[in-house]
Amino acid sequence: MAESTMQKIVSLAKRRGFIFQSSEIYGGLKACYDYGPLGVELKRNIKDAWWDDTVHRRDDVVGLDCSIIMHPDVWKASGHLAGFSDPLVDCRNCKERFRADKAPRAAAGSAITYREGGKKDGKKLPGVVGPQGYVCPVCGSGDLSGERQFNLMFRTSLGPVDPMQEILDAVDDMAKLDPAARKAKLAEIVGRSAVYLRPETAQGMFVNFLNVLNSSRMKPPFGVAQCGKSYRNEITTSNLTFRTCEFEQMELEFFVEPGTDEKWYEYWSNARYNWYISLGMKKDRLRMRPHEKSELAHYAKACVDVEYFYPFENPQGEGEWGELEGIANRTDYDLKKHSEFSGKDLSYFETETKRRFTPYVIEPAAGADRATLAFLCDAYDEEVVDKEKNDIRVVLRFHPRIAPIKVAVFPLVKKDGMPEKAEAIMKALLGEGINSFYDESGAIGRRYRRMDEVGTPWCVTVDTETLSNGTVTIRERDSMEQSRIPSEGIADYFRNRLKKSRE
RNA sequence: GCGGGCGUAGCUCAAUGGUAGAGCUCCAGCCUUCCAAGCUGGUCACGAGGGUUCGAUUCCCUUCGCCCGCUCCA
């Protein structure tokens, strides 16, 4: 079996220090990943590009950085604490697991037929509906396990006393209580100190709405942006960093006057799509997928996903559309809910018009890890340089803005003072904040190829001509073409090229 | 969490009931005056724990992790 594109990318990511599995020397931890020296640069560059384009280059968006642990009531108001867990049930006949609330209903005890083993051609067998009052959506069997809750939020405790210790201390007294009172006591002990890791950064912007309004003198339409970690106990995780329990979000909550929300929803949908294109993402691998009415979250009036065609493997072959970002019209749901639960008025009074309204929210919520993975996959290319020699080069064609290393500096050979000159150029570039890398080992061609593999857009080579007239060779990653420029002012040269790459 | 497959150097693979080889990579050096695969030397592995056995990487059990499917995905 030939290695799939995804496998090659995973290998490259590990070999070159983009992504490692977490705690690898201890056997690894499920669905947790670490970013290596190059991966952290790539992800940072993506986050910086997002912050720069979303906050710095606009006058109507400000930033925020909230704590990951928030008041538990935040999650009651948002609906996460009550609704984040869906009861799941296993079918004992066909082993299917399904959501209880989505299963076909049937009167408990009534006669039904189901398919043996859940197979399409399975024999039809008689059965009865269990006490739950629904049947398996796949085979129709009524022989089901009990309903189980899966809370998708990570719970921990705030305070120096471990609730487990409190339970142990109280266990003898609890034994004397009747079962209902015992359960209540247990829930009371756990609930007293329970706090949750945020499952999304969005709520931080909503609960700080008044703080931002009063301190920043912003008026709708305006946005609050935040970039940070969120946590969800996903039932299934897969495809490297695509779905993980700990992930980083880049979220914008854009507050607008009701009635203008649809216009702004359109605006941000286009803006977000174009953002990925501006960073070099291939158009044929990016699409906008509006949600069906039935898919919409309870708070959303409309939602569209920006999806990327990842090279994930599946039975149909390679490639699968996966969500990068969701743009939702959250209406005034969140501000109203927090008003209700906190008792604070989160509406906005417009002085000029003497009107009071609760803003609608347009939310572009992007995954930083998903974007990083998508840009990595999108950049991956194998180019046949010489068919006869079977010379194939692996290139990561990152946009210069997100490339981990911007410039590599080489001496053509390791003598005649070339290494010293090259090192001086590298240091000059570093001194100007341009991430650069020096290498003198092996043949020059091999060094170019090594830089191709990590996506460095430019290589600078010091040769004999440098020693006589001060010019150096610039080698382009994408075209492999070379040109000469003076080594004097080389930092400005690259700064300009980086600036130009934004346009 | 369920079903199926898998786990040998950094990567991709091989062999074996008597403690493991290769290619590429990596490191040191040589050679190299502009595009990989030249020469010399070197580092590095049987995911973890238990059992069977004189002896286990190989057989068995458990566990951890990975992949595929289901499921889930505010």
Side-chain angles (χ1 to χ4, degrees), chain A residues 412-445:
Chain A
L412 184 58
V413 288
K414 222 189 305 184
K415 58 186 180 193
D416 302 335
M418 290 181 203
E420 291 76 11
K421 178 74 187 152
E423 244 177 306
I425 290 173
M426 184 265 296
K427 291 211 167 116
L429 289 168
L430 288 179
E432 294 292 323
I434 296 167
N435 198 25
S436 306
F437 179 81
Y438 173 80
D439 191 5
E440 60 174 30
S441 74
I444 187 77

Side-chain angles (χ1 to χ4, degrees), chain A residues 293-466:
Chain A
K293 273 263 182 299
S294 59
E295 285 185 86
L296 287 178
H298 56 79
Y299 55 70
K301 179 173 160 184
C303 187
V304 59
D305 282 346
V306 184
E307 294 189 330
Y308 180 73
F309 196 68
Y310 291 91
F312 299 150
E313 289 160 79
N314 60 59
Q316 286 77 48
E318 270 186 26
E320 204 174 301
W321 289 100
E323 183 189 345
L324 265 182
E325 169 162 356
I327 296 112
N329 182 342
R330 291 181 79 130
T331 70
D332 55 6
Y333 179 87
D334 300 279
L335 289 178
K336 286 248 172 85
K337 276 284 172 198
H338 284 299
S339 281
E340 185 189 318
F341 277 72
S342 69
K344 302 285 190 299
D345 183 5
L346 302 185
S347 63
Y348 172 74
F349 183 72
E350 200 170 63
T351 317
E352 309 92 85
T353 58
K354 300 206 182 342
R355 286 183 309 141
R356 181 171 285 284
F357 60 85
T358 301
Y360 268 41
V361 176
I362 307 303
E363 175 195 77
D369 305 278
R370 287 181 175 188
T372 303
L373 182 60
F375 279 116
L376 184 64
C377 294
D378 203 59
Y380 185 86
D381 190 25
E382 289 170 16
E383 182 185 289
V384 179
V385 180
D386 188 327
K387 205 167 181 184
E388 280 178 16
K389 289 194 217 158
N390 194 28
D391 180 7
I392 298 164
R393 78 177 177 132
V394 172
V395 199
L396 293 182
R397 300 188 189 275
F398 290 129
H399 188 282
R401 246 179 119 181
I402 61 171
I405 300 170
K406 309 299 184 197
V407 184
V409 189
F410 308 141
L412 184 58
V413 288
K414 222 189 305 184
K415 58 186 180 193
D416 302 335
M418 290 181 203
E420 291 76 11
K421 178 74 187 152
E423 244 177 306
I425 290 173
M426 184 265 296
K427 291 211 167 116
L429 289 168
L430 288 179
E432 294 292 323
I434 296 167
N435 198 25
S436 306
F437 179 81
Y438 173 80
D439 191 5
E440 60 174 30
S441 74
I444 187 77
R446 156 170 300 213
R447 283 176 267 161
Y448 286 148
R449 298 299 178 88
R450 265 203 287 247
M451 284 297 112
D452 290 342
E453 212 182 23
V454 297
T456 305
W458 304 295
C459 295
V460 171
T461 301
V462 169
D463 52 27
T464 42
E465 232 182 299
T466 312

Side-chain angles (χ1 to χ4, degrees), chain A residues 160-218:
Chain A
V161 181
D162 184 351
M164 179 57 80
Q165 187 60 51
E166 289 188 71
I167 289 167
L168 291 174
D169 291 346
V171 78
D172 292 336
D173 289 338
M174 282 199 282
K176 297 171 197 155
L177 301 173
D178 64 77
R182 203 183 304 150
K183 279 183 188 167
K185 178 73 180 163
L186 262 172
E188 192 270 320
I189 292 173
V190 173
R192 202 173 356 172
S193 62
V195 288
Y196 302 87
L197 305 188
R198 65 181 177 198
E200 62 178 22
T201 60
Q203 299 304 324
M205 279 85 105
F206 301 136
V207 303
N208 278 297
F209 176 69
L210 285 182
N211 283 336
V212 173
L213 206 58
N214 294 332
S215 61
S216 70
R217 304 182 56 226
M218 299 300 275

